[in-house]
Amino acid sequence: MTLEDLPDGFVPVSGGGTGGGADVRASLNDAECLAGLDLANTQTAPKAEAGFNRANVLTITSTATSYPSDDVVASFDETSDALASCSDFEVSAGDGSGLTGTLESDDTTASDDVDAQINVRLIGTQQPSRLPVEITFGFARIGNDVVSVSAEGLGGPSGESFQDLMRATTDRL
């Protein structure tokens, strides 16, 4: 995904990610129903990442990873099954921050070129502030290549515009 794929008002995030503090932030990897999954994608494989921010209210991140073997198919299916079983969740970090909410997921693909896709919408409350949070993310697999898109913040994309972001990302693959 590039800046041209997004509405006006977005700027690149330096370093491609969403910023620091990842070591103390609550992570979906800590949700009991997702135990053992690597949603943060820490495997060593060729990877490209881009991040964009609008007024420090909405951050969109896109990655593309190329895996060396067909193991990615089984891992993708395992992740899809785990996310489908995860309706209510609660995660917390050592600093007292966390998230409580619900997850909804589906497998609607952004285009016919996609072998498999997982779309997830998290709606919840940040702790301890009790501020509402919405996170939308998805993974699309084409062969051994996986792209991901995440949108985190206030006023996230609708389901249709999120699929447009997924399509822009998979088309570039």
Side-chain angles (χ1 to χ4, degrees):
M1 171 185 329
T2 67
L3 193 56
E4 290 77 32
D5 297 320
L6 300 170
D8 290 340
F10 279 91
V11 296
V13 174
S14 61
T18 58
D23 55 340
V24 295
R25 288 181 61 186
S27 167
L28 278 180
N29 286 332
D30 298 328
E32 188 175 320
C33 58
L34 303 178
L37 293 178
D38 182 17
L39 293 178
N41 190 16
T42 58
Q43 294 184 23
T44 56
K47 178 179 179 178
E49 181 175 7
F52 307 95
N53 183 290
R54 183 187 327 179
N56 290 322
V57 175
L58 179 62
T59 300
I60 295 178
T61 304
S62 174
T63 65
T65 308
S66 184
Y67 294 94
S69 71
D70 290 332
D71 293 345
V72 70
V73 175
S75 177
F76 201 90
D77 291 343
E78 179 183 329
T79 301
S80 180
D81 291 345
L83 286 166
S85 74
C86 217
S87 59
D88 295 319
F89 71 93
E90 183 174 341
V91 294
S92 60
D95 66 354
S97 67
L99 294 171
T100 302
T102 60
L103 280 174
E104 299 172 358
S105 66
D106 69 66
D107 61 0
T108 305
T109 58
S111 75
D112 292 338
D113 297 328
V114 174
D115 295 325
Q117 186 167 324
I118 306 165
N119 307 297
V120 181
R121 185 172 181 188
L122 173 150
I123 300 170
T125 307
Q126 291 178 344
Q127 304 303 327
S129 68
R130 298 199 177 281
L131 291 172
V133 66
E134 182 176 328
I135 302 171
T136 304
F137 62 95
F139 306 97
R141 184 182 60 76
I142 302 173
N144 291 348
D145 300 317
V146 175
V147 297
S148 68
V149 174
S150 69
E152 181 177 350
L154 301 174
S158 67
E160 182 178 319
S161 63
F162 185 75
Q163 286 293 42
D164 290 343
L165 295 173
M166 289 296 292
R167 192 171 2 304
T169 303
T170 58
D171 285 352
R172 290 198 190 288
L173 186 60

